[in-house]
Amino acid sequence: MKRFIYADNAATTKLDIDAFEAMKPYLLEEYGNASQPYVFARKPRKALKEARSVIASCINAEPEEIFFTSGGTESNNWVLKSLTSNNQSGIITSAIEHHSVLNAVESATKNSGLAAYLPPTNEGVVLPSVLKKTLSPETKLVSIMFANNEIGTIQPIKELCEIAHEHGALFHTDAVQAVGHVKIDVKELGVDFLSASAHKFNGPKGIGFLYIKKGIKIAPLLNGGAQEFQMRAGTENVAAIVGMAVALEKNCNNLQTNQEHLRALEKKFIDELNIQDIRFVRNGASERIPGNISLSFQNADGEALLHLLDLRGIAVSTGSACDSVHTQISHVLKAIALDESYAKGTIRISLGVNNSIEEIPLMVDAIKYALKV
Ligand code: PLP
């Protein structure tokens, strides 16, 4: 049987087996509505409470600062729209954010001219000095992602946040690619809001959370019942929340081991490319999310590479989007000013905890073959 290699962990991850096992009772036996007062609802209610504390402690937050959502897109939209929808509040973000931030900012600030998109360096870093120059008295919110999903660059969040606060603006970070992969301490960072998504750290899909610092005022996302401290109504998905907590706790407990494993895989990958004499540019800064390898090959076609690797049972992603006629260069690669001859030939390999060292030479062989076709 052909071997399948999954190397698109920045898109989504495999559900952790312990998370899966922990979820099962809340789908089959303990299915009571956590808001009901009877005995049958006690276990799900307790599980919800425990999951909130576990998640809070993983990022050094308080349990009442964690609000469960359906994932990264929802968390980002909640913050960006509720703080900027009156069309009088300015928002500063970066040109390399995920579309769940960029499109929410556009929707919230339509025609107001109050959105600014900071250009990053060629390595994808949003410089604090650039933020400082852009802040204005209208700026109410600054939203900069913790780590970029295409090229992995980690941003100087603490410094950026301090500058925003000095100017009286609130600070949000989309930490979807970072939570569960690097150490995150919301108190140390000082952020007011932080978005996370379980399926990026071996939890289930369709569940995530928004951290909201105690004392910060934000409008409820959904009105209805009293769930999520009356901020996000709707019957809680207890099983998914429990799965998310188990996956996050496991990742946080194994953070160092996982990081070492992924760094070793990355090193092997780059060494193999060099041994095989494959010419490439690696995108992003040296400070990047473990396992992210964004590679550009001059005069290659990223879409074609993806499909050739797919034929060999290897799942990766591109740095470009194909509209059936033209290959379009992603907004991230444009923003880092990568030469078009490289940008079109970009693929993103994102390794995860389930990848093994034996898979690396197989992937590099497949790339060598695909580049020659
Ligand atoms: N933000 C970033 C940086 C992401 O990479 C993603 C998903 O790819 C999202 C937000 C959206 O998260 P979700 O899939 O949970 O809506």
Side-chain angles (χ1 to χ4, degrees):
M1 204 181 81
K2 196 165 74 173
R3 184 170 182 167
F4 170 64
I5 301 177
Y6 184 72
D8 199 19
N9 289 275
T12 196
T13 56
K14 183 177 175 177
L15 180 63
D16 176 78
I17 189 70
D18 294 333
F20 174 61
E21 291 298 338
M23 290 169 73
K24 277 200 311 202
Y26 298 99
L27 293 166
L28 298 174
E29 298 107 37
E30 305 295 346
Y31 54 84
N33 185 323
S35 301
Q36 292 295 37
Y38 43 66
V39 174
F40 186 54
R42 256 189 221 159
K43 275 201 180 157
R45 192 160 52 247
K46 188 163 172 270
L48 203 59
K49 195 172 170 200
E50 280 171 10
R52 205 184 299 279
S53 303
V54 165
I55 288 167
S57 71
C58 286
I59 60 165
N60 196 22
E62 306 302 322
E64 13 0 313
E65 295 175 317
I66 303 296
F67 296 81
F68 297 126
T69 65
S70 68
T73 301
E74 184 179 313
S75 297
N76 288 341
N77 271 262
W78 186 358
V79 177
L80 296 162
K81 289 185 177 162
S82 65
L83 281 164
T84 56
S85 57
N86 64 6
N87 265 3
Q88 279 158 7
S89 319
I91 177 160
I92 296 178
T93 187
S94 83
I96 57 167
E97 299 294 313
H98 187 263
H99 281 112
S100 58
V101 167
L102 293 176
N103 293 346
V105 169
E106 200 196 318
S107 154
T109 61
K110 214 165 256 168
N111 304 324
S112 71
L114 286 168
Y117 301 87
L118 303 181
T121 66
N122 292 348
E123 293 187 329
V125 180
V126 177
L127 294 173
S129 55
V130 175
L131 172 61
K132 213 173 220 170
K133 273 192 281 182
T134 314
L135 278 152
S136 75
E138 285 79 36
T139 311
K140 293 284 178 294
L141 179 68
V142 176
S143 178
I144 308 289
M145 70 200 319
F146 199 109
N148 183 265
N149 45 303
E150 285 188 38
I151 58 172
T153 300
I154 294 178
Q155 303 299 343
I157 293 299
K158 189 175 173 177
E159 278 174 86
L160 292 165
C161 179
E162 275 168 10
I163 292 168
H165 285 168
E166 277 164 22
H167 284 75
L170 293 169
F171 192 90
H172 164 248
T173 186
D174 169 1
V176 163
Q177 291 290 334
V179 171
H181 302 286
V182 293
K183 184 185 162 237
I184 292 188
D185 180 330
V186 286
K187 292 204 173 74
E188 195 185 315
L189 292 170
V191 297
D192 302 296
F193 308 100
L194 178 143
S195 305
S197 177
H199 74 102
K200 308 287 185 176
F201 52 79
N202 306 96
K205 292 173 179 56
I207 192 76
F209 64 89
L210 177 66
Y211 158 82
I212 307 178
K213 195 200 276 175
K214 213 183 280 172
I216 301 290
K217 294 262 173 300
I218 177 171
L221 176 69
L222 299 173
N223 302 110
Q227 295 92 350
E228 297 308 297
F229 315 110
Q230 300 188 20
M231 295 288 279
R232 199 264 187 193
T235 303
E236 303 89 344
N237 187 346
V238 178
I241 291 167
V242 167
M244 168 161 69
V246 170
L248 184 57
E249 189 175 37
K250 196 166 169 182
N251 269 16
C252 290
N253 289 342
N254 297 327
L255 209 59
Q256 199 173 336
T257 321
N258 291 349
Q259 284 184 359
E260 282 164 11
H261 173 63
L262 291 172
R263 295 292 184 214
L265 296 187
E266 274 181 44
K267 184 178 178 310
K268 174 84 175 160
F269 207 110
I270 301 300
D271 288 350
E272 281 289 323
L273 286 169
N274 288 324
I275 290 166
Q276 299 270 7
D277 219 9
I278 300 171
R279 295 213 184 149
F280 64 93
V281 164
R282 185 172 182 188
N283 303 305
S286 56
E287 189 78 12
R288 54 165 99 70
I289 219 73
N292 177 293
I293 309 174
S294 167
L295 300 172
S296 298
F297 304 99
Q298 193 172 26
N299 300 325
D301 180 340
E303 287 294 325
L305 288 179
L306 179 148
H307 293 299
L308 288 164
L309 293 175
D310 193 25
L311 286 173
R312 290 194 152 205
I314 300 171
V316 301
S317 168
T318 57
S320 51
C322 198
D323 69 357
S324 78
V325 182
H326 308 287
T327 296
Q328 291 178 347
I329 296 165
S330 85
H331 65 291
V332 175
L333 300 180
K334 274 189 191 151
I336 62 169
L338 184 65
D339 189 87
E340 200 178 303
S341 67
Y342 281 94
K344 283 190 169 164
T346 300
I347 53 170
R348 177 192 67 188
I349 294 124
S350 49
L351 304 168
V353 286
N354 294 313
N355 288 111
S356 67
I357 203 101
E358 293 77 39
E359 291 174 339
I360 307 298
L362 299 175
M363 281 194 258
V364 175
D365 271 355
I367 290 174
K368 188 169 185 173
Y369 161 81
L371 285 170
K372 281 191 189 146
V373 171

